[in-house]
Amino acid sequence: MKEQGDSQVSVHINGIKVSVEEGTTLLQAANSAGIEIPTLCWAENLTPANACRLCVVEQQGSRTLVSSCSRVCEDGAQVLTDTDRVHRSRKMVLEFLASSNDLSQSPDLVAWSKMYDVDTERYKAPAKIEDQIKIEDDLFVRAYDRCVLCYKCVEACGDDAQHTFAIAIAGRGFDARVSTEYEVPLPESACVYCGNCVGVCPTNALQFKTEFDLRDANDWRPSEQTVTETVCSYCGVGCSLELHTQDNHIVKVTSPSDHSVTSGHLCIKGRFGWQYVHAPEFKPREAP
Amino acid sequence: MADLQFGDARPDAEEIQIVDSFVSETAVVREGERVVRGGVTRRREQRHLLLPGLHLLQNSQGWISPGGLNYLAEVLQVPPAEAYGVATFYDLFATEKPSIPGPQHHICVDAACAMAGSADLLSKIQATGQRVHESPCLGQCERAPAMFIQEVGAPDRVPADADGFSHPQRGDSSLRLLRRFGVADPLSIDSYTSNGGYDALGLALNIGTEAVLSTLEASGLSGRGGAAFPTGTKWRAVAEENSSSKHVVANADESEPGTFKDRLIMENDPFAVIEAMTIAGVTTGSERGWIYIRGEYPLATHRLNHAIQSARASGYLGSKIAGSEYSFDIEVRRGAGAYICGEETALFNSIEGQRGEPRSKPPFPTTSGLFGEPTVINNPETLINVLEILNSGVDAYRSLGTKRSPGTKLFCLSGHIRFPGLYEIPFGVSLGELLQIAGGVVGDLQAILMGGAAGRFVGPEKLDLPLTLEDAAANETTLGSGALMVFSNEVNMLDVTRRLAQFFRDESCGQCVPCRIGTVRQHEVLLQINAKGPDQTQRELLDDISAVMGDASICGLGHTAASAIQSALDLGLLPSGAP
Amino acid sequence: MFGVGGGTSSYAEVEDTDFVLLWGSNARAAHPIYFHHVLKGLSKGAKMFAVDPRRTASAKFADLWLGIDVGTDISLANAMSREIIAANLHNKEFIEHATSGFDAFADHVDEYTLERAAATTGVNANAIRELAHGYATAPTAQILWTLGITEHHNGVENVLSLCNLALLTGHVGRWGSGLVPLRGQNNVQGGGDMGALPNKLPGFQDVADDSVRAKFESVYGGPINPEPGLHLSLMFEAMARGDLTALYIIGENPADSEADVDHTRKLLAELDILVVQDIFLTRTAQLADVVLPATVGWAESEGTVTSSERRVQRVRAAVKAPGDCRHDYEIIGELAQRMGAKWTANTPEELWDELRSLSSMHAGMTYDRLETEGGLQWPCPNIDHPGTPYLHGWLWEDDLDGRAPAPFSLTRYAGPKEQLTDDYPLRLTTGRVLDSYNTGVQSSGYESPIRSGSHLEISPVDALNLNLVDGERVSVSSPRGRVEMHIKIEPDQVAGLTFSTFHFPELVDLNLLTNDEWDPLSGTAEFKAASIRIDKLPIGTSRG
């Protein structure tokens, strides 16, 4: 078995002493103590990108705030997660995003914006992230006006999971975008349509075509959907699937990010190969 | 690393030739029809060739074409989307074919050059139908307005380099760091050695690494890039790392507006940088040295490359340097127009062929630096101080300056000053005295920007400020990189702050939300301020933006992106505004 | 292997191993999520060598790809063994402690010199030496394989040759070292575990063992035939002889998937009665006398499947099946009922608990545990047992856990049954692509942006010799049949080798070409090695 670090460290978070294994992040330590910290670019199946800065906390001795998702607990550290200073930074991050992006399909961000008293009215004619929606195939769509550049899709496409590297961040600063080389359409890129980028997107900038079409038809009803865990049939690896169904119809497939087999990632067959379940009959393609 | 897919865009013959002649060992090697060598490790090891490869394509075609990029990416086995992401990160690379042929003129529009009439220069060239690009500071503030030219098939050039170097402190025998400026021939290693060159290396080899480290610690030398971290501590940390591969990096990506000292060091005393890096290599057990120099410094690059070849030929670089058991060699890497790459971890990423985005610290470079390995990183000014300390000894070194700021410091004076240029003075000389040494202010002094765009403004009331690290800190300003930009009363400071805000907006790498969006919002508010100055809402917004960038950004760029503007507001340099 | 029908290792182990030997497997395309684990290992510094006739997507990640000629695996493996012994890199202590038959084995492989293997495989001797030394000297190492090893007339010998390498070096029975066959369907492992083998009852218990049968008979309520049944290839032979006249097929499409498929179709058509239970009216179902409509196993049914790491996991019904479709277990149960059986277990969980009472390796796996623990890896003999991440740890125990040492096997190189001839001078091998699956019954249900249909991949050299252009439609024949298809010129393809998938039988009936010579030990046909010829089509018909 993998060697487990057996040394423990203690940190004080909001005055609560938390003992954790060495290497644990402040975020994990806080969560284990029941303290919630908002995160956007963090995911348990990805390397911390450190990009959104929503999870910043105050650590005694640090000149600036520190991102709790990546900062490892140092023994004896004194950490505060809910000071005015922390509150101000989180509010500003949320304001910046709300003033730049369409966040309407990100329930978490909408809720936090309320919680942190976000006021976008004070920004006059702010520059926005604007982009045409990209519908290039039957499997998923890209709407980058919702993209908050959290890097999750790039990491999932890259060396955190898929190692396909069809997309990367291109450009710089406010003009930075998730892009293929020279912005070629996805079907011309290296993309293998595993959909792992869609699986990790927190703002629905990337979404499955099934969801997009249902939303377009005003028929996307998350509250009426059920999720059933099962196992993919397309090879012998045993990937855990979560089938999201609405009206006895599969509308989306995900995988639990804490599952030892998949870490939440799937391949094109597992992600999209379910459609035959609803086919009235087997229709082989016509010879060309 | 990936089972890569490359698009249909194919390179032309010249692009193939350029890439093939540059990459001596490809990431994938065929050993007959049935055996192919490749793999993750080889790809990783080749990746650092991406940046120089992109330079070659840019230079040969005037842009980086899809076919050329594909080919380079294939040879190095870099995913094309990532290669594109890297190419689009830098100002000096174009990924669209220029609509106007001919050379690209980069003209600095930052404060010192703006004061010196860069707008006129720009429109004059534009009027001839040629291409111009409004550039951030080009590091030639002493001879503003500055220009840098890229031309297809020709070496990048700075027209002003033809004029030669004029040293305002020429003949001053008290100079330490600048003692060889204008004295030794920067193209001759013999001239260097006959002016004290390589004495320090000999000494270092003689006294051994522990003695070098304790000497450095005793000297009190701290980094001259702005953060002022103790150099001896840094070197010792790397020396004590148990790793088979370590690096010495010279951070010569001098990009802080108003700063040009490292350029002049490399142009006038290139061997000194190399010697000091060699000492760092020997002392810390590192065998690989890298100089990351900004792309806009062609003369300095040329002279460094020349010096490295001479040093190699003379046995001062390579295996068994200077007859010792140590090996050390240096590669030069050119930046490509990105202020952020002066941030040390962004610099590492840039060398590695990644986008020049800063990393989260910790881990620090001493444990995980270039290629994730222990790394000493210093700028040229810091490095040449090491020679001075070893040659003259700790006591002599500390006899100048103050207890907490020992030695001398280089200052770059620009703007409304009689003799703009590079000055070496002992720490502790007052701001006013330095201005007098440089011939005094031209016009009535309104403010001085200390430490460049990332620094702070001070007003005339601070002329008595002793130029030391401790006094600067106590007065809520910074020496930063040693840039002092002087503004007379004739300058509209609203324009200056707007340009500063634009600078950060343009130079933010875009990685973290506070800086990516904050720099834009800050610029927008400054553009919205009318002649009466910021109203209360605007001021509050600027303060909030400043707070989040300063508190929650990843790196120093974001942390300081509002500091000069905030100081201008605090000093009342902008109209005071409606209530 | 070593008496148990399952891969030795957990997926997580390949993340921690030092050396990955990928042999006859394009896991990148066929087992993409397993390959994620491999990639984690490579990112952490593991070396990877790939042995495959094609430089597949997987092989492109390898530090060294060895493009052996199709069917020369034993020659390579035995030469590796010989080199490891000759270079004194074998794990003498382990061999002494945990294995038997080493001396005979060393004698046996002595003739498999590097030079001979180089001549046979086409791969130069240096590369073979580098592979042998790399594998032997790695602190931990895993061999991964798929059908490139097993779909040969001597697939079992191929596997045993790989086992020899593990025994020689001690790369088995420890975390990070092992032998990992990757299964092609979600329950290939589970099918075997449940006794869907001619000679085994559930839990790999021998049908010839009286006490075993007695145990099962007491629960099943009837006698069990002690004679082993027939495996698939023998069934077809029995059909050809007229000995087997009734066939009940559940969820398989042999009328498209079998090698030499024209022959198969004829045999199926000549049966007295053919019953097919499936979710679609497949080509096989169209031949049936009775079709029993079933539910989709993983989306409309309850039960368990077992993965390549021996992990038993739950499948659940997410949607209700259409019309009169019924669960497989219901249909089988009803049939049994009509035949007079009185089975008491009626729900999937009851059936599972019945299995647990009969198969000790499953005994500890309650539905509750499977639910809460993300599945369990067999053997899991009691409810306190955590499951078994890797097998054969006993090889390293002082007393071998009281078992007999693991034997070396003497395997002999013999190339593909079908050698190339002047009439059929090209080698055809088959395999999967990323977005499709088997005969396409399921995967044709969705539109894949990366699907490019069925074509014959050939080398630039062969294309030039045959005067063919990329995309040209050609005639492809083997001794068994002929199809027309488009060619695709693959720059990486070795001259003389062609490749195609079998996912689109409605477009290209590829299995008309493949060879049904089968392995007497496993019954698996030699899909991986047929001989073919390519002819240009008459002018005017070759484009389209």
Side-chain angles (χ1 to χ4, degrees), chain C residues 9 14 40 43 77 131 182 194 214 221 284 292 331 399 485 503 505 540:
Chain C
S9 308
V14 79
K40 278 193 189 140
S43 296
L131 168 58
L182 295 167
M194 295 306 118
T284 305
L292 301 166
I331 299 172
D399 60 350
M485 63 194 302
H503 300 308

Side-chain angles (χ1 to χ4, degrees), chain B residues 1 3 30 33-34 36-37, chain C residues 28 61 65 67 130 492 495:
Chain B
M1 291 299 127
D3 43 354
R30 289 201 162 274
E33 194 188 16
R34 290 178 181 274
V36 175
R37 197 171 290 280
Chain C
R28 176 63 162 168
F61 286 92
W65 165 66
E130 192 175 332
D492 278 331

